Amino acid sequence: MSPRPRPSARPPTKPTAQPAARPGGPGLRAAGELREVTPEMRARSVRTFVTVLVVFFTLVGLVVATLAWQGRGVRDYAARVAQAALAGKPSPNVGFTRPCGEVVPGPLPAQAQSCEVRVEGGAARVTVEVQGGRAYVIQRP
């Protein structure tokens, strides 16, 4: 006689069926209809959109404020150079061009790449070139 299999305490299990993939993607129901958007989902979407807008405009404002602040320093420096060039009461018949470092000793502002003073007809014209190809021109009579 052959040994009989021992009866187990558990009944045999049937394999469970995996949920079938829905046609049309995860957002669609079986009949192809769209899922319902709840008021909570709509409020969360609006909150996210408003947050993105606020962050975007805040960053743009910071960039504009930084550029304005940097430009103000360069313009103030150019005004000091023009005032120093005209302090010696140059003759209206004489014209000359000099670097700003000769008129006002010291370094250029951090953003400035070059600076030049031109005195013609008793008026000073200061041109300061900054990074990015921009230039500030200050003219004093």
Side-chain angles (χ1 to χ4, degrees):
M1 271 178 102
S2 67
R4 286 194 315 182
R6 193 169 167 195
S8 68
R10 291 185 288 167
T13 59
K14 294 182 182 176
T16 59
Q18 297 292 330
R22 296 183 199 163
L28 298 176
R29 294 187 179 175
E33 58 190 63
L34 294 174
R35 62 186 170 104
E36 182 179 340
V37 177
T38 64
E40 293 85 18
M41 293 169 68
R42 183 171 284 117
R44 188 173 50 223
S45 296
V46 168
R47 224 178 14 252
T48 302
F49 178 73
V50 169
T51 301
V52 168
L53 279 179
V54 167
V55 167
F56 174 76
F57 285 113
T58 301
L59 290 175
V60 168
L62 284 173
V63 168
V64 169
T66 301
L67 290 175
W69 179 74
Q70 290 175 347
R72 182 177 179 186
V74 171
R75 287 190 306 269
D76 289 346
Y77 176 77
R80 279 195 323 248
V81 170
Q83 184 178 6
L86 293 175
K89 303 275 187 201
S91 171
N93 299 329
V94 177
F96 60 89
T97 301
R98 288 191 180 156
C100 295
E102 290 181 14
V103 178
V104 175
L108 292 174
Q111 304 84 12
Q113 291 181 336
S114 67
C115 181
E116 180 180 87
V117 181
R118 172 178 239 145
V119 178
E120 287 183 356
R125 180 183 174 106
V126 180
T127 304
V128 182
E129 292 187 19
V130 296
Q131 298 168 352
R134 296 178 296 153
Y136 292 96
V137 178
I138 303 291
Q139 188 158 355
R140 299 285 189 246

